[in-house]
Amino acid sequence: MGHFITSKDIPADGEHLKKGALSKWIGISGLVALIGIIVSAWLLFNNNEAANTASDTVAGRYAYSWLFAFTFFVSFSLGGAFWLLLHHVSNSGWGISVRRLMENLASVFPWMGIIAIPFLFPQVQQHLFEWMNRHRELMGSVTSYANAKEILHHSYGQFDHMLYAKSFYMNLPFWLGRMVGYFVLLGGAIYILKNISVAQDNDPKPGIERLKKSRKLCAAFLPIFALTATFLAFDLLKALDYKWFSTMYGVYFFAGCALNGMALLILTSILLRRAGYLQTVMSPEHHHIMGKLTFAFVVFWAYVTFSQFFLIWYANITEETSYFLLRNTGNWNVANIALVFGHFALPFLFLIRSDVKKKPGLMIPITIYLFILHALDHYLIVAPERGPSLTLGSEAGASLFPAGSVVWYDLLAFVTVGAFFLFIYLRMFTKNSLYPCRDPRILESANLFN
């Protein structure tokens, strides 16, 4: 049950981290990120010809590692953005106590645009996106994309006809514009919402005008989020094989974002409470609700993932089944089966119990476990494409680890992007109160009972 809190229990200026509380971790993560980014830049833009084939280079292998790490960590910030927008649009009362956590997590998203910069360079694109290479070949001899489309249509084979049919969307100027637009538009929306929230903290007579304003803005920002989450997944992940079709891919990616974004919010709130913070405005009731939302998206992720597989299996169309044929080859099918039981069955059995959701000692390992399975999910999206793309159909594409050195590339990219993500995320907590202290409904949230 909840605890009883009055306005006297909540400081007028909120609750701030002690000075230097996170300095050590911010410094370590920043240093690791800086070193990793320097090494990664050298790997991504180093033309290493000492490889098995002309295309199988260090830069080519590491491009997939970088993509895997980026999409994994950006999914957390997208999840935070979703929960923040949903909180405002639904006029949530219980979520006031954890809204600043949502804002801090969502605020990492525009900074992740720095990690996405390598994808804007042809030296990296050439290894990841076959369709870009075909367009560049054509643009070397034609003056407009309209002419390029006609050449694609008349001069090449059946797969290029697919590219011709999709060229209204898959063309370089539009792709580059979208990539910049994602971070500018959604990043700007998050910045506006957080500024409104922080301004409320500093207003001695906050009122409800800012709450109404945020709610109205989020009604417009939610479509921006939906387009960003969907088409960012299309442009960076689904486009690894431009011949592949799936109408559920955007929802599949979103489900993982929402699930693990909430899991990270749970882990963050537990760690803060264990450090002595958020004691008055949060209780096990908040963890119960957050656990229920996590449980809901464990089921939703499984539903969407199975639906995508079942519809493609049932239709048995070549352009669709290629995705799963590759991932059921060699050792990849072992990882796929692990997802079935590990990403759904086990979390389902644990999170279905209400008492588990209220116990931090149990929720910490469960959230970490969800992160591991989420990483496996994203690895299965990206890594299998590396084999066929870089080894031209050799046996490397049929192995869970195409080459021994690739594992080290994956770990380097994961640690680098993870350290950058942690550096930005932790810094967000040092700037403002840990909760919106002057929100008119903070007492409603603090006395939550469900």
Side-chain angles (χ1 to χ4, degrees), residues 10-17 201 432-438:
I10 300 177
D13 295 327
E15 193 172 6
H16 298 260
L17 288 176
D201 288 352
N432 305 293
S433 172
L434 295 174
Y435 56 86
C437 54
R438 293 184 179 176

Side-chain angles (χ1 to χ4, degrees), residues 27 59 75 80 183 208 225 238 285 346 406 422 429:
S75 68
F183 293 97
I208 61 173
F225 165 81
K238 193 165 177 284
E285 299 297 318
L346 290 179
V406 170
L422 185 63
F429 288 91

